[in-house]
Amino acid sequence: MNLEIHHIINRDQKAFQRLFELLYPGLVEYAYRFLYDRAASEDLVQEVFVDLWENAASYDIHTTIKGYLYSTVRNRCLNQLKSVKITDRDAILDISASLCSPDSIELIEQQEKEAMTRKAKFILERLPQKMRKIFSLKVIEGYSYAEIAEEMGVSINTVKTQLKRARNKITHLNELIVLFLRTL
């Protein structure tokens, strides 16, 4: 059992407060990439923390507490979207959300990573060649900005700009799909 959850099970309020202050902002941003509603994202993350505080003793966490919380937020976001009849069959929301948080892709189970990789490859085909290569090296291959810059013979700023543009294109596609689904 990791140390953080042990403290929470033992009702250590200071440990819980530190955990909350450390992870809350990132979790809200992560939730926002699914829900596109700041207040709903904040509420959802607060509910996750309340549930953690109240039920920590019954949890069987096999990852880090951070990984567990990101996974829980992701699942609750997807459940909330399903409740309003929005589905993510092509994992576009997953891909978009993972782009906003560099470490969030590492927090997702291997099977989900493989599904996301297949969907990312599908979307990659719609990006310009240079952007596609940079995006693929970062998201699929896990290269750092410096490694991509060296491999591609470009500056780190070019890598960051191309990744930002790729994220914007994917986010725009995602927003169009969400808008379309809301009209159904």
Coordinates of all heavy atoms in Angstrom, one line a residue, residues 79-119:
N79 N -18.5 8.6 -17.6 CA -19.8 8.2 -17.1 C -20.8 9.4 -17.2 O -21.9 9.2 -17.5 CB -19.7 7.6 -15.7 CG -19.1 6.2 -15.7 OD1 -19.1 5.5 -16.7 ND2 -18.6 5.9 -14.5
Q80 N -20.3 10.5 -16.8 CA -21.1 11.7 -16.9 C -21.5 12.0 -18.3 O -22.7 12.4 -18.6 CB -20.4 12.9 -16.2 CG -21.3 14.1 -16.1 CD -20.7 15.2 -15.2 OE1 -19.9 14.9 -14.3 NE2 -21.1 16.4 -15.5
L81 N -20.6 11.9 -19.2 CA -20.9 12.1 -20.6 C -21.9 11.1 -21.2 O -22.8 11.4 -21.9 CB -19.7 12.1 -21.5 CG -18.7 13.3 -21.3 CD1 -17.4 13.1 -22.0 CD2 -19.4 14.6 -21.7
K82 N -21.8 9.9 -20.7 CA -22.7 8.8 -21.1 C -24.1 9.1 -20.6 O -25.1 8.8 -21.3 CB -22.3 7.4 -20.6 CG -21.2 6.8 -21.4 CD -20.8 5.5 -20.8 CE -19.5 4.9 -21.4 NZ -19.1 3.7 -20.7
S83 N -24.2 9.7 -19.4 CA -25.5 10.0 -18.8 C -26.2 11.0 -19.6 O -27.5 11.1 -19.6 CB -25.4 10.4 -17.4 OG -24.8 11.7 -17.3
V84 N -25.5 11.8 -20.4 CA -26.2 12.8 -21.3 C -26.1 12.4 -22.7 O -26.1 13.2 -23.7 CB -25.6 14.2 -21.1 CG1 -26.0 14.8 -19.7 CG2 -24.1 14.3 -21.3
K85 N -25.8 11.1 -22.9 CA -25.8 10.4 -24.2 C -24.7 10.9 -25.1 O -24.8 10.9 -26.4 CB -27.2 10.7 -25.0 CG -28.4 10.3 -24.2 CD -28.6 8.8 -24.1 CE -29.9 8.5 -23.5 NZ -29.9 7.8 -22.3
I86 N -23.5 11.2 -24.5 CA -22.4 11.5 -25.3 C -21.4 10.3 -25.2 O -21.0 10.0 -24.0 CB -21.7 12.8 -24.9 CG1 -22.6 14.0 -25.2 CG2 -20.4 13.0 -25.6 CD1 -22.1 15.3 -24.7
T87 N -21.0 9.7 -26.3 CA -20.1 8.6 -26.2 C -18.8 9.0 -26.9 O -18.7 9.9 -27.7 CB -20.6 7.3 -26.8 OG1 -20.9 7.6 -28.2 CG2 -21.9 6.9 -26.2
D88 N -17.7 8.3 -26.5 CA -16.4 8.6 -27.1 C -15.9 7.3 -27.8 O -14.8 6.8 -27.4 CB -15.5 9.0 -25.9 CG -14.1 9.5 -26.4 OD1 -14.1 10.0 -27.6 OD2 -13.1 9.5 -25.7
R89 N -16.6 6.9 -28.7 CA -16.3 5.6 -29.4 C -14.9 5.6 -30.0 O -14.2 4.7 -30.1 CB -17.3 5.3 -30.5 CG -18.6 4.7 -30.0 CD -19.5 4.4 -31.1 NE -19.9 5.7 -31.7 CZ -21.1 6.0 -31.8 NH1 -22.1 5.2 -31.4 NH2 -21.5 7.2 -32.3
D90 N -14.5 6.8 -30.5 CA -13.2 6.9 -31.2 C -12.1 7.3 -30.2 O -11.0 7.6 -30.6 CB -13.2 7.8 -32.4 CG -14.1 7.2 -33.5 OD1 -14.0 6.0 -33.7 OD2 -14.8 8.0 -34.2
A91 N -12.4 7.5 -28.9 CA -11.4 7.9 -27.9 C -10.8 9.2 -28.2 O -9.7 9.5 -27.7 CB -10.3 6.8 -27.7
I92 N -11.5 10.1 -28.9 CA -11.0 11.4 -29.2 C -10.9 12.2 -27.9 O -9.9 13.0 -27.7 CB -11.9 12.1 -30.2 CG1 -11.7 11.4 -31.5 CG2 -11.5 13.6 -30.3 CD1 -12.7 11.7 -32.6
L93 N -11.8 12.1 -27.0 CA -11.8 12.8 -25.7 C -10.6 12.3 -24.9 O -9.9 13.1 -24.3 CB -13.0 12.6 -24.9 CG -14.3 13.2 -25.5 CD1 -15.5 12.8 -24.7 CD2 -14.2 14.7 -25.4
D94 N -10.3 11.0 -24.9 CA -9.1 10.5 -24.2 C -7.8 11.1 -24.8 O -6.9 11.5 -24.1 CB -9.0 9.0 -24.4 CG -9.8 8.2 -23.3 OD1 -10.0 8.8 -22.2 OD2 -10.2 7.1 -23.5
I95 N -7.7 11.1 -26.1 CA -6.5 11.6 -26.7 C -6.4 13.1 -26.4 O -5.3 13.6 -26.1 CB -6.6 11.4 -28.3 CG1 -6.5 9.9 -28.5 CG2 -5.5 12.1 -29.0 CD1 -6.9 9.5 -29.9
S96 N -7.5 13.9 -26.6 CA -7.4 15.3 -26.3 C -7.0 15.5 -24.8 O -6.2 16.4 -24.5 CB -8.8 15.9 -26.6 OG -8.8 17.3 -26.2
A97 N -7.6 14.8 -23.9 CA -7.3 15.0 -22.5 C -5.9 14.6 -22.2 O -5.2 15.3 -21.4 CB -8.2 14.1 -21.6
S98 N -5.3 13.6 -22.8 CA -4.0 13.2 -22.6 C -3.0 14.2 -23.1 O -1.9 14.4 -22.5 CB -3.7 11.8 -23.2 OG -3.6 11.9 -24.6
L99 N -3.3 15.0 -24.1 CA -2.4 16.0 -24.6 C -2.3 17.2 -23.6 O -1.3 17.8 -23.6 CB -3.0 16.5 -25.9 CG -2.9 15.6 -27.1 CD1 -3.5 16.1 -28.3 CD2 -1.4 15.2 -27.4
C100 N -3.3 17.4 -22.8 CA -3.2 18.5 -21.9 C -2.4 18.3 -20.7 O -1.9 19.2 -20.0 CB -4.6 19.0 -21.4 SG -5.3 18.0 -20.2
S101 N -2.1 17.0 -20.4 CA -1.4 16.7 -19.2 C -0.3 15.7 -19.6 O -0.6 14.5 -19.9 CB -2.3 16.0 -18.1 OG -1.5 15.6 -17.0
P102 N 1.0 16.1 -19.6 CA 2.1 15.3 -20.1 C 2.2 13.9 -19.4 O 2.5 13.0 -20.0 CB 3.3 16.1 -19.9 CG 2.9 17.5 -19.6 CD 1.5 17.4 -19.2
D103 N 1.9 13.9 -18.1 CA 2.0 12.6 -17.4 C 0.8 11.8 -17.4 O 0.8 10.7 -16.9 CB 2.6 12.8 -16.0 CG 1.7 13.7 -15.1 OD1 0.8 14.3 -15.7 OD2 2.0 13.8 -13.9
S104 N -0.4 12.3 -17.8 CA -1.6 11.6 -17.7 C -1.6 10.4 -18.6 O -2.3 9.4 -18.2 CB -2.8 12.5 -18.0 OG -2.8 12.9 -19.4
I105 N -1.0 10.4 -19.7 CA -1.0 9.2 -20.6 C -0.3 8.0 -19.9 O -0.7 6.9 -20.1 CB -0.3 9.5 -21.9 CG1 -0.6 8.4 -22.9 CG2 1.2 9.7 -21.8 CD1 -1.4 8.8 -24.1
E106 N 0.6 8.3 -19.0 CA 1.3 7.2 -18.2 C 0.4 6.6 -17.2 O 0.7 5.6 -16.7 CB 2.6 7.8 -17.6 CG 3.6 8.3 -18.6 CD 4.7 9.1 -17.9 OE1 4.8 9.0 -16.7 OE2 5.4 9.7 -18.7
L107 N -0.7 7.3 -16.9 CA -1.6 6.8 -15.8 C -2.7 5.9 -16.2 O -3.4 5.4 -15.5 CB -2.2 8.1 -15.1 CG -1.2 9.1 -14.6 CD1 -1.9 10.3 -14.1 CD2 -0.3 8.5 -13.5
I108 N -2.8 5.7 -17.5 CA -3.9 4.9 -18.1 C -3.4 3.5 -18.3 O -2.3 3.2 -18.6 CB -4.3 5.6 -19.4 CG1 -4.8 7.0 -19.1 CG2 -5.4 4.8 -20.1 CD1 -5.0 7.8 -20.4
E109 N -4.3 2.6 -18.0 CA -4.0 1.2 -18.1 C -3.4 0.8 -19.5 O -3.8 1.4 -20.5 CB -5.2 0.3 -17.8 CG -5.8 0.5 -16.5 CD -4.8 0.0 -15.4 OE1 -4.1 -1.0 -15.6 OE2 -4.8 0.6 -14.3
Q110 N -2.6 -0.2 -19.6 CA -2.0 -0.6 -20.9 C -3.0 -0.9 -22.0 O -2.8 -0.5 -23.1 CB -1.1 -1.9 -20.6 CG -0.3 -2.3 -21.9 CD 0.6 -1.3 -22.4 OE1 1.2 -0.5 -21.6 NE2 0.8 -1.2 -23.7
Q111 N -4.1 -1.6 -21.7 CA -5.1 -1.9 -22.7 C -5.7 -0.6 -23.2 O -5.9 -0.5 -24.4 CB -6.2 -2.8 -22.1 CG -7.2 -3.3 -23.1 CD -8.2 -4.2 -22.4 OE1 -8.4 -4.2 -21.2 NE2 -8.9 -5.0 -23.2
E112 N -6.0 0.3 -22.4 CA -6.5 1.6 -22.8 C -5.5 2.4 -23.7 O -5.9 3.0 -24.6 CB -7.0 2.4 -21.6 CG -8.2 1.8 -20.9 CD -8.5 2.5 -19.6 OE1 -7.8 3.4 -19.2 OE2 -9.6 2.2 -19.0
K113 N -4.2 2.3 -23.3 CA -3.2 2.9 -24.1 C -3.1 2.4 -25.5 O -3.0 3.1 -26.4 CB -1.8 2.7 -23.4 CG -1.5 3.5 -22.2 CD -0.1 3.3 -21.8 CE 0.2 3.9 -20.5 NZ 1.6 3.6 -20.0
E114 N -3.3 1.0 -25.6 CA -3.3 0.4 -26.9 C -4.5 0.9 -27.8 O -4.3 1.2 -29.0 CB -3.2 -1.1 -26.8 CG -1.9 -1.6 -26.2 CD -2.0 -3.1 -25.8 OE1 -3.0 -3.7 -26.1 OE2 -1.0 -3.6 -25.3
A115 N -5.6 1.0 -27.2 CA -6.8 1.5 -27.9 C -6.6 2.9 -28.3 O -6.9 3.3 -29.4 CB -8.1 1.3 -27.0
M116 N -6.1 3.7 -27.4 CA -5.8 5.1 -27.7 C -4.8 5.3 -28.8 O -4.9 6.1 -29.7 CB -5.4 5.9 -26.4 CG -6.5 6.1 -25.5 SD -5.9 6.9 -23.9 CE -5.1 8.4 -24.6
T117 N -3.8 4.4 -28.8 CA -2.8 4.5 -29.8 C -3.4 4.2 -31.2 O -3.1 4.9 -32.2 CB -1.6 3.5 -29.5 OG1 -1.1 3.8 -28.3 CG2 -0.6 3.5 -30.6
R118 N -4.3 3.2 -31.3 CA -4.9 2.9 -32.6 C -5.8 4.1 -33.0 O -5.7 4.5 -34.2 CB -5.9 1.7 -32.4 CG -5.1 0.4 -32.4 CD -6.1 -0.8 -32.5 NE -7.1 -0.8 -31.5 CZ -7.0 -1.3 -30.3 NH1 -5.9 -1.9 -29.9 NH2 -8.1 -1.3 -29.5
K119 N -6.5 4.8 -32.1 CA -7.3 5.9 -32.5 C -6.4 7.1 -32.8 O -6.7 7.8 -33.8 CB -8.2 6.3 -31.3 CG -9.1 5.2 -30.9 CD -10.0 4.7 -32.0 CE -10.9 3.6 -31.4 NZ -11.7 3.0 -32.4

